Amino acid sequence: MSKARVPWKAVAGGSIGNLVEWYDWFVYTSFAVYFAASFFPEGNDTAKLLNTAAIFAVGFFMRPLGGWLLGRYADRKGRKAALTLTVTLMSASALLIAIAPTYDAVGYFGAAVLVVARLLQGLSVGGEYAASATYLTEATPPGRRGLASSFQYVSMTAGQLVGLGLQIILQNTMSAEALHSYGWRIPFIVGAAAAAVVFYLRRNLLETEAYDEEEREAGQAGRGTIKALLAHKKEALLVIALTMGGTVAYYTYTTYLTKYLSLSAGLPKETATLVSFCALFIFMCLQPLAGGLSDRIGRRPLLITFGIGSMLGTVPLMTALGGVTGFGGALVLSLIGLIIVTGYTSINAVVKAELFPTHIRALGVALPYAIANALFGGTAEYVALWFKNNGIESGYFWYVAGCAAVSLVVYLTMRETKDAALSRAEQSAKDSVPV
């Protein structure tokens, strides 16, 4: 195993934009409890959240298109170019939400603006995940890729923490009336401004050696095309299947958790938000530890541990969370769930990138992953609220466990990717080492 050092400048450059991307992405759902009433007529609170959750899901269904367009762009124009484009789109979408008019002012036109903004966000994030995953993986030497790529979820979680932290500050400095009236717009203004700053930072990133090698030796013919991806159908289907259980569990214990603790457990919004913030901070710190461990023992052991834990643990954990009465119990149970999910989140990016050759790596990661997220991740919150609205909330817990069971079968049968060569130069160096 190589003992080369992690290129921290490249990791930071790829991650900081990812932080802003996912801050904007998650801040929509974390502030939905405040702006839901602004875009829909008076009625049942759960019904309003269902409407905003449906718009949240719309963004996910745009992700396959974003995965295709921006994954192709990343394979043909470079990882750096794709990273710059995605953060530009995200800045524009956050600004749209910040200035969206309310139902009282223009009726359902405000909700239509939300839909357009979510479509742009979905397009952006559909390409951001793959561009970031391929950049972090390719920019890091063998033997350190699990550690480096784990910072994708470090930055994703950090973005959510910034959003939750801002929410806590606003909750403690503004009245509930002010938050529902105009305060919810503040985080979207912050997101738009931060994305504009990251645009300039990402322009100074260096392209990866693996992409430069492909550019020199193979040109653009066949790069990032559906035809080239179809030559790797097995790997593409593998990405969808291994993502299925992980993305449902991730969104259950992150974006949906605050609403669940508030609506089902009956905790105050402020307490539920604080629980999520503390649990996510610890979860963020666990990612590099698990990613580094995968560089030693392989990716499959962590994925299998997640699959078993999520399949067997979701129903009792979520049931217990629904009955908590205070901060301490909610935090402990939330952490157990997030520790289980770490087996997936810490390494899922590097596993997918290691499955494909350079000329199709970004599209190979982007499109299948985006399809899986559209089908399972984007609908997770809506499915959970649907079960709740129909009086069978526990049915959602079994749904999450079932998705994990399907992915577990894949984890048990897939090949190990830890020692995969990501370029011709790496393959040549690997072949020159005596067995």
Side-chain angles (χ1 to χ4, degrees):
M1 180 181 292
S2 170
K3 296 300 181 182
R5 298 176 62 184
V6 174
W8 292 113
K9 288 184 178 180
V11 171
S15 297
I16 190 170
N18 204 35
L19 184 155
V20 177
E21 289 267 6
W22 288 93
Y23 162 87
D24 286 335
W25 183 258
F26 283 118
V27 84
Y28 177 96
T29 187
S30 63
F31 276 85
V33 291
Y34 293 106
F35 68 73
S38 296
F39 297 99
F40 301 99
E42 290 298 322
N44 181 273
D45 287 342
T46 301
K48 291 178 183 177
L49 283 174
L50 271 171
N51 288 327
T52 55
I55 295 176
F56 182 72
V58 163
F60 275 88
F61 284 102
M62 196 67 172
R63 288 173 70 164
L65 180 59
W68 170 52
L69 292 175
L70 295 173
R72 175 184 172 88
Y73 187 76
D75 281 329
R76 298 179 74 84
K77 301 299 182 181
R79 318 315 188 199
K80 172 185 172 180
L83 287 170
T84 304
L85 178 57
T86 56
V87 79
T88 303
L89 292 174
M90 186 61 78
S91 179
S93 63
L95 184 60
L96 269 180
I97 298 176
I99 63 174
T102 64
Y103 178 84
D104 290 339
V106 294
Y108 283 107
F109 179 75
V113 173
L114 279 187
V115 172
V116 172
R118 289 298 296 170
L119 290 175
L120 284 176
Q121 285 187 332
L123 188 69
S124 173
V125 176
E128 167 68 21
Y129 176 88
S132 178
T134 52
Y135 186 85
L136 290 173
T137 302
E138 291 178 354
T140 309
R144 293 290 182 268
R145 288 181 177 137
L147 172 61
S149 66
S150 71
F151 279 85
Q152 185 172 48
Y153 268 82
V154 170
S155 58
M156 286 172 62
T157 307
Q160 189 173 0
L161 283 173
V162 173
L164 286 171
L166 182 57
Q167 185 174 5
I168 291 172
I169 292 173
L170 294 177
Q171 285 172 339
N172 286 278
T173 58
M174 300 180 70
S175 66
E177 293 76 14
L179 275 173
H180 283 87
S181 175
Y182 66 89
W184 61 265
R185 297 182 186 273
I186 296 174
F188 295 104
I189 295 172
V190 171
V197 172
V198 172
F199 171 82
Y200 292 101
L201 296 177
R202 278 191 161 176
R203 292 186 67 182
N204 294 320
L205 289 175
L206 296 176
E207 189 54 82
T208 67
E209 291 184 8
Y211 178 82
D212 282 341
E213 176 192 78
E214 189 71 21
E215 180 82 6
R216 291 192 306 270
E217 299 185 13
Q220 288 197 0
R223 293 211 322 253
T225 63
I226 295 295
K227 181 179 179 180
L229 180 60
L230 290 176
H232 300 274
K233 292 188 292 292
K234 180 180 177 181
E235 288 79 5
L237 291 173
L238 187 62
V239 169
I240 293 175
L242 69 87
T243 300
M244 177 182 178
T247 190
V248 171
Y250 176 72
Y251 283 102
T252 297
Y253 288 108
T254 55
T255 59
Y256 180 62
L257 182 65
T258 304
K259 293 184 182 66
Y260 181 67
L261 291 175
S262 178
L263 295 175
S264 298
L267 294 181
K269 290 178 183 177
E270 294 78 9
T271 302
T273 302
L274 185 59
V275 168
S276 294
F277 183 89
C278 294
L280 284 171
F281 179 80
I282 298 173
F283 171 73
M284 179 182 69
C285 296
L286 291 174
Q287 302 308 299
L289 298 177
L293 178 64
S294 78
D295 286 326
R296 294 179 174 273
I297 68 173
R299 322 300 188 205
R300 290 180 65 248
L302 271 71
L303 291 172
I304 292 170
T305 299
F306 155 73
I308 294 174
S310 187
M311 181 181 67
L312 300 179
T314 297
V315 174
L317 267 177
M318 293 299 290
T319 302
L321 275 166
V324 295
T325 57
F327 172 82
L331 177 61
V332 170
L333 291 172
S334 299
L335 277 176
I336 293 173
L338 286 171
I339 289 171
I340 293 172
V341 173
T342 295
Y344 166 80
T345 55
S346 61
I347 58 170
N348 85 94
V350 70
V351 168
K352 293 160 189 170
E354 289 170 340
L355 288 171
F356 296 94
T358 304
H359 72 282
I360 197 65
R361 184 168 295 130
L363 181 61
V365 173
L367 187 56
Y369 173 78
I371 291 172
N373 263 279
L375 294 176
F376 304 105
T379 59
E381 185 176 335
Y382 188 85
V383 170
L385 289 170
W386 182 89
F387 274 111
K388 178 178 176 59
N389 210 36
N390 285 276
I392 48 174
E393 188 168 30
S394 62
Y396 177 70
F397 311 156
W398 290 100
Y399 168 76
V400 177
C403 290
V406 173
S407 289
L408 177 59
V409 174
V410 177
Y411 304 151
L412 290 169
T413 56
M414 67 181 288
R415 65 181 173 87
E416 178 58 64
T417 63
K418 177 174 71 73
D419 296 320
L422 300 188
S423 66
R424 297 177 183 83
E426 281 186 19
Q427 187 61 54
S428 296
K430 186 177 178 181
D431 292 341
S432 67
V433 177
V435 178

